Amino acid sequence: MRRIKLTVAYDGTSYCGWQVQPNGITIEQVLNETLSSFFKQDIRVVGASRTDAGVHALGAVCTFDFDHTMPADKVAFAINSYLPDDIVVQCSEEVGPSFHPRYDAKEKTYIYKILNRKMPLPLERFDTHFYYYPLDEKKMNDAASHLVGEHDFTSFASPHYTAKTTIRNIYECSVSRSDEDIITIKIRGNGFLYNMVRIIAGTLMEVGGGKISPEDIPLILEKKDRDAAGPTAPAKGLTLVEVRY
Amino acid sequence: MRRIKLTVAYDGTSYCGWQVQPNGITIEQVLNETLSSFFKQDIRVVGASRTDAGVHALGAVCTFDFDHTMPADKVAFAINSYLPDDIVVQCSEEVGPSFHPRYDAKEKTYIYKILNRKMPLPLERFDTHFYYYPLDEKKMNDAASHLVGEHDFTSFASPHYTAKTTIRNIYECSVSRSDEDIITIKIRGNGFLYNMVRIIAGTLMEVGGGKISPEDIPLILEKKDRDAAGPTAPAKGLTLVEVRY
């Protein structure tokens, strides 16, 4: 058996998230079925991140084991012909038998995109969260800088989730506005709690709208209380950009 | 009767272009039906540009006449609720009874986007033309500079179309590559012949791929022969950005 690592981009709009579940089609399911059918063996991928329904990816990572002689780099091209347009393997490479996409991940990068203008733009409707009221991206960026570093992110995690530790190290968190009025929150860290990026996005939006001051962020972190932070921003604005090992 | 000017953005993916035609749904048709139904009178829009099937817009312009007291700026918000997600009126304003969206247009801006990398990106699949082989955007930009100015664009027009004159003045034509490997051709001029931007895009791609040299562009213009230029690039990469008056 050989272990193959896939880097996968997808438009999550039509999927019930990454993980196989009984009530709808998922990215994991499509990959399992396409790989199994193509290589004529039962293949199950193991993913690095279980993205929610509607979340997108530029560089999600998963591995699978198979018994086949195809050169690793050809796998991506081979199965892309059989995948739908909204899932595209970006690259495929062979890894050692002990490589684990989740446990070995050292760093993840996400972006959250907000289309902040008076009218929606149809071409941006799948991967941005449209927001009508003006947001101050400079204040959002000031607030974001307070999240950088090692902190207990209990206030920024869904309380329905239990992780071993709620301490995470954020290496980068920045906010900028494009000419097309897309506000992009970029966040890079050693790991993220459940819904953490979407709660950070929702909180930074409250800062941008003047409801929370940038200087309140350290206090929100200190409280270790989900209710202290802002709402969870909608899934469609979130994209997993990269997983590093 | 009052005349209203609409600036309209649309994702052209699901439409048979702008102009009403018997064999499929068009942008013009959806606007006519939505406006007529909303204002309970027979409304027909007059467009500035008849974009082809699959072409998109950020700022297409049309006008219509109606008998109603609604403030002009409210029209956009009112009808957006009844338009599909892929057509959004960006703004509405009142214009004089002699204003004509096509004849009064002074300047149009288009962009043509090419996703130039080894693998497609699902989130870019609707408004970029995916192209696998590497393109040299610097050569493309050099070639583009030769198109700026007043020229006879017969070589860059579909021969099935008869315009009064084939002379057009191009104010700007530039090519750049983004971090995501999207090559954007931006072109601004006093008007464009049928398929002109797509033929320019197809020709610049031949330059980027080394088949045509940037210095050949003046010769191609001189020949006044459609066969001298490159192929017509696919519709999906083209977006009408702005019409100025």
Side-chain angles (χ1 to χ4, degrees), chain A residues 9-11 56 58 76-77 80 85-90 117-123 125-127 132 239, chain B residues 9-11 56 58 76-77 80 85-90 117-123 125-127 132 239:
Chain A
Y10 50 83
D11 171 356
H56 318 287
L58 290 170
F77 291 94
N80 276 342
D85 278 356
D86 50 9
I87 305 179
V88 179
V89 177
Q90 299 294 304
R117 60 204 304 279
K118 291 296 170 208
M119 293 295 183
L121 286 174
L123 288 168
R125 72 192 184 285
F126 297 117
D127 68 337
Y132 175 86
T239 299
Chain B
Y10 50 83
D11 170 355
H56 318 288
L58 290 170
F77 292 94
N80 277 342
D85 279 357
D86 50 9
I87 304 179
V88 179
V89 177
Q90 299 295 304
R117 58 203 304 278
K118 292 293 169 209
M119 293 294 183
L121 286 174
L123 288 167
R125 72 191 184 284
F126 297 117
D127 67 338
Y132 175 86
T239 299

Side-chain angles (χ1 to χ4, degrees), chain A residues 6-21 23-36 43-63 79-80 82-90 238 240, chain B residues 122-123 125:
Chain A
L6 300 180
T7 304
V8 188
Y10 50 83
D11 171 356
T13 306
S14 308
Y15 296 94
C16 295
W18 172 268
Q19 194 175 18
V20 167
Q21 53 132 298
N23 301 318
I25 301 172
T26 66
I27 315 288
E28 187 182 28
Q29 180 189 343
V30 172
L31 288 170
N32 285 347
E33 290 172 359
T34 307
L35 288 164
S36 298
I43 290 178
R44 309 276 174 101
V45 300
V46 176
S49 287
R50 294 171 184 165
T51 55
D52 284 337
V55 173
H56 318 287
L58 290 170
V61 170
C62 64
T63 58
I79 74 154
N80 276 342
Y82 296 90
L83 284 169
D85 278 356
D86 50 9
I87 305 179
V88 179
V89 177
Q90 299 294 304
L238 185 61
L240 171 57
Chain B
L123 288 167
R125 72 191 184 284

